[in-house]
Amino acid sequence: MEIPTVNLKTILLVHWLLTCWGCLVAWLPSAYAWSNFTVLAMGVWAVAQRDSVDAIIMFLVGMIITFVTDIIDFGIYYPVGEVVFTGWQRDSFRFSVGMAILSLILKPLSCFCAYQMYRERGGDCTVNFGFPTVTSNRNTYQSLEQNRSTYQSIDRQDSPVNPHLYNEQDNKAPVRI
């Protein structure tokens, strides 16, 4: 199945517009706007540097983090907004909530598209926790019968002369450069 390519500029424009509309009424904390606009700035960086793997992975990680924090913000501040906004403000509040929720719904799709762009730019998503791996394939083990000529000899050899040592035969101090 061929995945259609979505332009990163389109993703940024849609999320910027939805975030602006979500902040239309002050029912969310300022951290919502700061975090989302910061992630969008990382997206602009990813647009500006088309070959940068770092830019697109920062945008992707930021989108994932804001997805989680947006859920938390909505859960905490929506009930407060339901009580606070009454009358004509209630319609603006509902519109703002709807746009913020639409942005939240589109974030997993945007993350998927950003991940595809990350892979296209040469990113590799391998996680290494530093634990040694064990395999049953004996061809991957090093042989004990290696060429011993590659090892350094531990036999006594003439050590190089240190020019900074005092030369007793000439009764002269070494010359320093």
Side-chain angles (χ1 to χ4, degrees):
M1 180 173 126
E2 185 67 26
I3 299 170
T5 58
V6 177
N7 192 352
L8 185 58
K9 293 176 188 176
T10 306
I11 293 171
L12 291 175
L13 179 66
V14 168
H15 281 288
W16 176 78
L17 188 62
L18 293 174
T19 302
C20 285
W21 283 342
C23 294
L24 200 59
V25 176
W27 66 282
L28 286 167
S30 61
Y32 172 81
W34 276 103
S35 62
N36 280 289
F37 287 127
T38 302
V39 170
L40 292 176
M42 287 182 214
V44 171
W45 173 36
V47 168
Q49 292 186 345
R50 294 190 181 272
D51 296 333
S52 175
V53 176
D54 293 336
I56 196 71
I57 195 67
M58 290 288 289
F59 175 68
L60 176 61
V61 168
M63 288 291 278
I64 293 169
I65 291 171
T66 56
F67 178 75
V68 173
T69 58
D70 289 355
I71 292 171
I72 294 168
D73 287 342
F74 295 168
I76 293 172
Y77 292 99
Y78 180 76
V80 175
E82 278 284 321
V83 174
V84 171
F85 296 105
T86 58
W88 62 271
Q89 294 176 338
R90 189 158 186 82
D91 294 334
S92 297
F93 169 71
R94 287 183 178 168
F95 177 77
S96 180
V97 168
M99 296 301 109
I101 289 173
L102 184 59
S103 176
L104 180 69
I105 291 170
L106 290 177
K107 277 189 182 181
L109 179 65
S110 299
C111 287
F112 178 73
C113 293
Y115 179 72
Q116 292 296 86
M117 291 174 207
Y118 169 71
R119 296 294 302 250
E120 288 173 3
R121 293 183 185 194
D124 186 21
C125 191
T126 56
V127 179
N128 184 5
F129 293 111
F131 299 121
T133 57
V134 178
T135 180
S136 61
N137 186 1
R138 294 200 178 266
N139 294 332
T140 61
Y141 293 109
Q142 291 182 352
S143 172
L144 294 177
E145 297 299 323
Q146 293 179 354
N147 185 2
R148 297 193 186 271
S149 64
T150 60
Y151 293 113
Q152 188 177 23
S153 174
I154 59 172
D155 294 337
R156 178 158 167 81
Q157 296 176 355
D158 293 335
S159 61
V161 177
N162 189 346
H164 298 292
L165 293 178
Y166 184 79
N167 190 351
E168 293 178 5
Q169 295 172 348
D170 296 335
N171 290 331
K172 295 179 184 175
V175 179
R176 299 200 185 240
I177 299 175

